[in-house]
Amino acid sequence: ALTVRERCAGCGGSNALQAARAAAAACRRANLRRAVVLGGSPAARQEALRLAQAAGGPELVFVDGDSRVTEGDARADKARADVVLAWAGTPLPHKVSDLYRRREAGDPPFITVPTTGVGQLFRALEQHARSRRL
């Protein structure tokens, strides 16, 4: 027998989709439109993008932990972002995350998502959006 949540037409029992919807709503209220996400496995990044689109935002821009990123790349990404999230426990060498962690005037907040999992990424984003002062 299916549980009530599994019968839900809205989420189909998906905790990650529920988290994405809660994050999207909080981001809209906080006027948070773009998040740069550092790391994540290819499958997790694809799932997060799919869920963010299904939930109505925000735009997620991923930086692959295995890619070559320059200081200029990081500055440009931060200039266009409302928040930077480092997805701990996923492929993300310090040589990449340190470029985004360095603080300069006008940089967006830097949040560490302490665990893997797409739902956890969205919960961290929601928590940041809820605490954000406009």
Side-chain angles (χ1 to χ4, degrees), residues 110-128:
F110 184 95
I111 309 291
T112 299
V113 181
T115 59
T116 61
V118 174
Q120 287 302 114
L121 176 70
F122 286 115
R123 281 187 271 290
L125 185 56
E126 177 192 9
Q127 184 177 21
H128 168 70

Side-chain angles (χ1 to χ4, degrees), residues 1 3 10 64 68 72-73 75 97 101 108-109 114-115 123 127-128:
T3 65
D64 184 342
R68 184 178 182 279
D73 295 333
R75 276 197 185 115
S97 62
R101 190 183 323 269
T115 59
R123 281 187 271 290
Q127 184 177 21
H128 168 70

Side-chain angles (χ1 to χ4, degrees), residues 3-18:
T3 65
V4 170
R5 198 177 82 179
E6 289 169 333
R7 287 191 302 256
C8 174
C11 72
S14 169
N15 288 332
L17 181 55
Q18 290 175 345

